[in-house]
């Protein structure tokens, strides 16, 4: 076995938005490189967007333009390789992505099924180009995919490269459940077929391991739990305490969409402003807003303007310095997701800044808060209970400060990028033997 393992990590770009999965993948790849691993982070569909140094390779496979055109006009896959390669150029894909691309399952059913079919789908030429590059240039000892939805290439990887293939599951079910019929059943059947071929899965919670084992009909023994982790370098300084007598401020830092529960937080916030001691409460919102979700967000903002004028602001999409400043400006963070969140990176980001959280009691949140001690759980889908819990924290400065301190200590101790990388590397070793890791 080599001293420095070669890992090919295939990650799906988010069409120009900050995507939690590819941001997490970039953090992992960067830390594995620091530990002495030879890692190539390979974007699929579009280049990734991250608020840290981008360590991905400067090329894209399964480029969004190519994949879409080959779905609509299958014979395009027979064009010369240099033509397909030009259509996959990162600058072209970035340009097209800037026009606004709908990436929800509602619009992409047929395409999702075709990609999952791999060599049997309309994008067979893309599979061949990826496998040729992996076998010729990358020559990895192990391949890690960022989700099962890009797993159509798994059979070809195993046949040509004869290396272990792992898949990190980070919300795959949410996309599949959003598909319309008959594509939903077809895509799920393909995903379950591929799950039977995959050597192992990485997840971030016991909840998601059990859920996805049942959902994909894969043995629970295939699932390996690793912690999420943050690059904590610019979180190191102890945050200045928030003033006890200032207007209590709630933050929301996530994509603005129904699934993330912005409407539930708006309802809770309006109830909160009717309670004693929080009549002057403020709400700060930040995060990606797609064209498709703009009517939803506009509706929430219009309601706030009618019922709590001057008490809220939308900070837009934040780069890293802006995100850290945003977190320093709030007292509590809440993203009351409607779905059962498999990751919850925003929880770790808030706690790393000393900001306690109030989250629904489902998905990965119970395990995250049990591990960090940095917040409170509320009944899912219950704005009144959310308002009560926010009121309790916002009117108790000592309790709020203590939760923030405890959460911050535990995140810095247990949820660093290094802890995530070492745990992931240990899983890799289970499949590829023992490696000597510099710094490990």
């Amino acid at each position: 076995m080599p001293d420095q393992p070669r890992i090919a990590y295939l990650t799906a770009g988010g069409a120009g938005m900050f995507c939690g999965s590819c941001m997490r993948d970039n953090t992992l790849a960067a830390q594995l490189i620091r530990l002495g691993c030879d890692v190539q982070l390979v974007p699929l569909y579009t280049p990734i967007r991250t608020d840290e140094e981008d360590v991905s390779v400067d090329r894209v496979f399964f480029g969004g333009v190519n994949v879409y055109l080959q779905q609509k006009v299958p014979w395009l896959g027979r064009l010369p390789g240099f033509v397909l390669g030009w259509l996959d150029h990162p600058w072209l894909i970035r340009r097209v992505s800037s026009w606004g691309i709908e990436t929800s399952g509602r619009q992409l059913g047929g395409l999702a099924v075709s990609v999952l079919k791999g060599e049997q789908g309309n994008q067979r030429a893309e599979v061949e180009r990826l496998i040729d590059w992996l076998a010729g240039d990358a020559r990895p000892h192990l391949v890690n995919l960022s989700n099962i939805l890009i797993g159509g290439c798994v059979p070809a990887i195993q046949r040509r490269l004869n290396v272990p293939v792992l898949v990190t599951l980070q919300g795959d079910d949410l996309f599949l459940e959003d598909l319309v019929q008959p594509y939903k059943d077809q895509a799920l059947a393909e995903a379950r077929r591929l799950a039977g071929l995959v050597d192992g899965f990485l997840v971030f919670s016991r909840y998601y391991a059990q859920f996805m084992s049942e959902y994909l009909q894969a043995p629970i023994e295939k699932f390996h739990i690793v912690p999420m982790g943050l690059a904590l370098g610019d979180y190191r300084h102890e945050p200045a305490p928030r003033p006890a007598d200032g207007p209590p401020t709630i933050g929301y830092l996530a994509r603005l969409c129904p699934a993330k529960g912005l409407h539930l937080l708006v309802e809770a916030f309006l109830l909160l402003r009717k309670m004693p001691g929080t009549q002057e409460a403020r709400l700060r919102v930040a995060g990606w807003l797609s064209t498709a979700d703009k009517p939803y967000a506009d509706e929430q903002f219009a309601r706030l303007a009618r019922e709590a004028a001057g008490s809220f602001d939308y900070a837009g999409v934040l780069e890293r310095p802006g995100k850290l400043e945003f977190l320093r400006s709030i007292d509590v963070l809440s993203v009351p997701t409607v779905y059962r969140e498999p990751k919850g990176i925003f929880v770790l980001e808030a706690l790393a800044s000393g900001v306690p959280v109030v989250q629904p009691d489902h998905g990965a949140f119970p395990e995250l808060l049990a591990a960090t001690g940095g917040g409170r759980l509320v009944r899912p889908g219950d704005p009144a209970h959310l308002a009560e819990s926010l009121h309790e924290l916002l009117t108790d400065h000592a309790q709020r400060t203590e939760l923030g301190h405890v959460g911050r200590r535990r995140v810095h101790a247990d949820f660093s990028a290094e802890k995530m990388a070492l745990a992931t590397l240990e899983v890799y070793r289970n499949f590829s033997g023992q490696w000597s890791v510099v710094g490990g």
Side-chain angles (χ1 to χ4, degrees), residues 35-93:
L35 293 175
C37 300
D38 180 358
V39 178
Q40 298 203 63
L41 182 64
V42 186
L44 274 61
Y45 302 138
T46 72
I48 67 172
R49 184 178 180 186
T50 177
D51 62 5
E52 301 171 20
E53 179 187 0
D54 183 348
V55 300
S56 65
V57 301
D58 188 26
R59 64 183 302 172
V60 176
F61 289 94
F62 281 80
V65 178
N66 255 331
V67 166
Y68 179 81
L69 290 176
Q70 290 171 28
Q71 182 67 17
K72 295 298 183 181
V73 189
W75 60 262
L76 289 175
R78 297 194 294 273
L79 289 174
F82 74 88
V83 176
L84 298 179
W86 183 83
L87 289 173
D88 278 347
H89 198 286
W91 73 262
L92 176 63
I93 297 173

